[in-house]
Amino acid sequence: GPMQEFNCQVDPEAAKMVFDCGVALVMVPLDVTHTVLVTPSVLQRVRIVYCRVASMRQDTYRSVFGFIHPPLHDPCAVAFVIAPHLFKVRELRVDIETVSPYTAGQTVCDVWRQTGRPANCRVAVTMDVAQFWDLQLAALAEADVASPLNMLTIPKGG
């Protein structure tokens, strides 16, 4: 959809229940994950397997969203769990649109505190992309060493 993040779009009522349930939440929105681009310098650091995956994504992100390089999403959320210091977060009220045929599933962050409702989520607003890639590539290198396939070629130190 034009405004929704995928997981909220496919089940906005469930997303609303999660955001309203009272547990401590952290959201890493598209505004942040769209800064983690699979650039040529990243592709150079990881060659065989990762390049194949990235090239499949690149065509879609270019034709549909106008991105020159495709972003990553889920690894950003995992990175928050492993290395929260890479992120700047704000305590915000987040509600999920469940009614509109155009924006059902949209996460609505009360950035200016207009609703008067209490914050229910820590929302990532930026992340250190360079350190994210160092973390991601180190994890891939470690997995490659442990794998019997040894399919990745990752330059040392890089």
Side-chain angles (χ1 to χ4, degrees), residues 58-103:
Q58 190 165 8
D59 293 340
T60 299
Y61 273 93
R62 182 176 289 130
S63 64
V64 176
F65 301 108
F67 277 79
I68 295 171
H69 307 295
L72 289 183
H73 303 290
D74 295 349
C76 295
V78 174
F80 185 88
V81 173
I82 296 167
H85 64 278
L86 298 181
F87 297 79
K88 179 181 176 188
V89 298
R90 290 187 60 195
E91 298 276 342
L92 297 173
R93 175 68 197 190
V94 179
D95 288 295
I96 309 299
E97 174 60 56
T98 59
V99 179
S100 170
Y102 300 107
T103 61

Side-chain angles (χ1 to χ4, degrees), residues 2-126:
M3 298 296 296
Q4 307 91 316
E5 296 177 65
F6 178 77
N7 294 322
C8 293
Q9 180 182 1
V10 296
D11 196 347
E13 290 80 11
K16 181 174 177 45
M17 289 171 36
V18 169
F19 277 85
D20 288 343
C21 76
V23 300
L25 298 174
V26 175
M27 182 173 86
V28 182
L30 295 177
D31 293 346
V32 174
T33 65
H34 280 174
T35 66
V36 180
L37 304 178
V38 183
T39 64
S41 65
V42 169
L43 290 176
Q44 185 175 356
R45 292 169 68 185
V46 182
R47 302 214 165 116
I48 299 170
V49 174
Y50 205 72
C51 290
R52 289 183 193 146
V53 172
S55 66
M56 289 184 290
R57 294 173 44 101
Q58 190 165 8
D59 293 340
T60 299
Y61 273 93
R62 182 176 289 130
S63 64
V64 176
F65 301 108
F67 277 79
I68 295 171
H69 307 295
L72 289 183
H73 303 290
D74 295 349
C76 295
V78 174
F80 185 88
V81 173
I82 296 167
H85 64 278
L86 298 181
F87 297 79
K88 179 181 176 188
V89 298
R90 290 187 60 195
E91 298 276 342
L92 297 173
R93 175 68 197 190
V94 179
D95 288 295
I96 309 299
E97 174 60 56
T98 59
V99 179
S100 170
Y102 300 107
T103 61
Q106 181 181 6
T107 52
V108 181
C109 299
D110 186 6
V111 175
W112 307 113
R113 305 191 191 286
Q114 298 293 306
T115 66
R117 299 181 74 194
N120 63 346
C121 187
R122 290 187 300 156
V123 179
V125 293
T126 62

